[in-house]
Each structure stands twice: as structure tokens, then as C-alpha cells.
Amino acid sequence: MDVRKELGGVARHRVDREDMILINRLAKTELTPEQVYTFSIRLCDNEIDRDWERFDEDALHALSGLFVGKSGIFDHNWSAEGQTARLYRTEVCREDGATAAGDGCRYLKGYAYMLRSEKNSGLIEEIEAGIKKEVSVGCSVTGRVCSICGEDRCGHQGGRLYDGKLCYFTLREPTDAYEWSFVAVPAQRKAGVLKAFAGGSELKRLAAGRPSCLRELERLEQEAALGRSYISGLRRELVRLAGLTDESLDLKIFTKAADRMEEDELLELTRIYQRRMDEKYPPIPQLRPRAKAECAGEDGAFLI
């Protein structure tokens, strides 16, 4: 399951010797403190969000390792031209208080660097001015666990109370971290989740977090599956008829050709081979007409 969590929080960070050691592990050439601009980012936390999902502390620690070295871009547009910065260090931090799930508050903090260049000067000014502030991270997790039944997929609805207990889902076992982005308007105040289930579907990743879009996408996928089944049935019927009417036909080659045909081609060839089939094997009725009565005076309708 792919997850995108959106969270505000970009702050200036003063670079020191330890930072430069970590930054230069990622850089191809040795950089100096004067060449880089660094800032810290609040990436995601363990609070229940508006989609009634949350990371547990173990997931935050796993994400901490996965996000080191990941690029910062804009609006999750996966293009090399949009790369602006890179995370060189992360840590899981504690906060006072407890989450709605009853855990102590934790959040994942990242430290990013970018070059002080003419190209980046405008972005640095916007960060300093608090204009570029909200960020969103994209990652992949193995699954989620319902707070009511402990299952991954169930009939419980997030946000509802069951016997006085709140239903929410805990995201578990992150497997990958994709990127983090500057976004204009975060989906949620503190943490927003956009989901796309395993399989890597980019459309689901884009539709996640928008229930109406996700439902429409699922409907289209069901219709597409029916369409594929229909076309597959046409191809099988065409191959069957061709094999019955033409014994000299190489069915392996013909099957490969049929796999590349569109619906109109399949229907036309099926019609042709069906006609040949009817000519080669004409239908024989089980009940034949009675022979003409020998005696002209007999009424055949009443003979047994």
C-alpha cells in the first residue's frame, strides 16, 4: 500500500561539521558550509489523521532509515527537473502529551540541504519567509491494522465507535520511501494520507485520499476486467472455430495472431469461420418429417 502523508513544518537549520560530513557522503564533490543551505522538516507523526489512519512508532523508526538520501520535489511531480533538495539526516523526536490512540507523541524529523545558487535563491527566500512551509512525503507500507478487530481488511469504518471504542487503522512495516514534496495546500492540518494499494498503480496513488475518485477508479477497473474477459472469450471462440474448419491451420501461430486482434476483427473472422462451420457440418434435426401416406384416403394427422 502506497501512502502519502502531508504535514506542515519547514524550519531553518544551522549547518555544523557533523552536518557537512553527512552531506558530503551524498555529494559527488566536496561541499563547504558556504555552498549549502540547510533546513529541517517535520515529515510525519503517529497521531490519528483525518482519514483515521496513523503510523506506529516502529513505522516511524523504519521510515527514518528509508528517507535518508531521498529527494525533495514539488507537488509529487516525479521529474528530475523538480529536484530541489535532499534529506541527509532523519530522527524520531518526542513531544509532550499523548495521541488519540494513547501513545506518547512522536514525529519524524528530517534535515535537508540544497545548493546556494541563483536557481535556488528564490526558493530559499520563500522558505525563510515562511511561504514554502508545507511538505508531503510518499512511501510504501505492507499493510494496516484495524483497532477494532486487528485485521487488515474488514468491514469496520474508520472514525466510528464500536462499543465505545474508536475505529482507526495503524499503518505498519514501511518498505520504501519515494520522495518528499513542497505542496501548496496540504490535504490535512497535520497529517494527510493518500493511499494506493499494492501493485504500484500510479492512478490509485493519485486518486488516493479522494474517495469519490477512488470509487470511480475501482468501477472503471471492474468494467475493464469485464471487457478483458469478453475479448478473451471472443479469441477463444475464434481459435476453436478455425481449428474445426481448417485442419491445415497452425493453431499456435493463429492464436498469437488472434491475441493481437481488436474486437471488430475478431467478430468478422468469427462470423466467417462460423459460416464455414455451418457449411462443413450442417445441422441434422433429430426428428425427420414423416413419409407421405401411401393411401390417399388416410389422414396422417391421426395415425400412431
Side-chain angles (χ1 to χ4, degrees), residues 2-279:
D2 296 335
V3 177
R4 186 186 300 163
K5 275 198 170 285
E6 299 185 344
L7 195 62
V10 176
R12 188 175 183 179
H13 174 70
R14 185 181 297 277
V15 64
D16 58 22
R17 181 176 177 276
E18 182 181 353
D19 290 311
M20 291 309 305
I21 292 174
L22 297 175
I23 289 170
N24 281 314
R25 287 179 182 175
L26 300 174
K28 295 298 183 182
T29 60
E30 192 79 11
L31 298 174
T32 65
E34 292 74 27
Q35 292 178 285
V36 298
Y37 173 83
T38 60
F39 53 97
S40 61
I41 310 166
R42 183 185 173 105
L43 294 168
C44 51
D45 58 33
N46 64 338
E47 183 58 271
I48 300 172
D49 59 40
R50 288 183 181 174
D51 282 333
W52 307 104
E53 293 186 336
R54 63 185 292 271
F55 288 120
D56 60 13
E57 186 173 353
D58 289 340
L60 292 179
H61 282 287
L63 287 172
S64 179
L66 292 171
F67 268 110
V68 172
K70 294 302 185 291
S71 296
I73 54 179
F74 291 94
D75 297 318
H76 298 286
N77 182 12
W78 292 7
S79 170
E81 295 181 357
Q83 288 179 298
T84 58
R86 193 173 296 275
L87 291 174
Y88 65 90
R89 179 163 68 95
T90 59
E91 61 179 335
V92 176
C93 301
R94 298 173 179 268
E95 285 184 315
D96 293 335
T99 67
D103 299 343
C105 293
R106 306 285 187 272
Y107 70 92
L108 178 59
K109 184 176 183 180
Y111 298 83
Y113 77 96
M114 59 193 300
L115 290 176
R116 289 185 178 273
S117 63
E118 183 177 352
K119 175 185 175 182
N120 293 333
S121 60
L123 177 57
I124 293 173
E125 289 180 0
E126 290 179 329
I127 292 174
E128 289 285 320
I131 297 173
K132 284 291 188 294
K133 182 178 181 181
E134 291 76 24
V135 296
S136 169
V137 298
C139 64
S140 177
V141 299
T142 301
R144 62 180 194 171
V145 177
C146 174
S147 64
I148 303 300
C149 65
E151 298 295 329
D152 186 354
R153 295 180 182 274
C154 61
H156 295 121
Q157 297 182 11
R160 290 188 58 181
L161 293 176
Y162 294 87
D163 294 329
K165 185 177 181 180
L166 177 66
C167 177
Y168 60 87
F169 298 90
T170 300
L171 304 173
R172 294 283 181 84
E173 299 179 10
T175 57
D176 197 5
Y178 306 138
E179 40 75 20
W180 54 277
S181 295
F182 287 103
V183 293
V185 180
Q188 302 174 355
R189 289 192 301 270
K190 291 187 66 177
V193 180
L194 299 182
K195 299 168 288 298
F197 295 98
S201 170
E202 179 66 11
L203 286 177
K204 280 190 174 182
R205 188 183 71 82
L206 294 174
R210 298 171 176 84
S212 61
C213 293
L214 198 55
R215 285 193 297 270
E216 178 68 11
L217 179 57
E218 290 173 350
R219 184 184 65 81
L220 292 174
E221 287 180 336
Q222 292 174 355
E223 293 178 356
L226 290 174
R228 287 191 294 269
S229 178
Y230 164 69
I231 292 295
S232 179
L234 285 181
R235 290 178 176 136
R236 288 196 301 270
E237 179 63 9
L238 174 59
V239 172
R240 184 185 73 85
L241 291 172
L244 289 172
T245 56
D246 190 350
E247 296 178 357
S248 65
L249 194 64
D250 188 327
L251 286 182
K252 289 185 178 180
I253 295 176
F254 188 82
T255 299
K256 291 181 180 179
D259 287 341
R260 294 191 292 270
M261 294 180 189
E262 299 297 333
E263 180 190 20
D264 57 344
E265 298 170 318
L266 292 168
L267 290 173
E268 178 61 19
L269 281 177
T270 298
R271 184 187 64 81
I272 293 172
Y273 278 108
Q274 183 64 61
R275 186 176 63 192
R276 292 182 184 178
M277 182 78 169
D278 293 340
E279 293 172 353

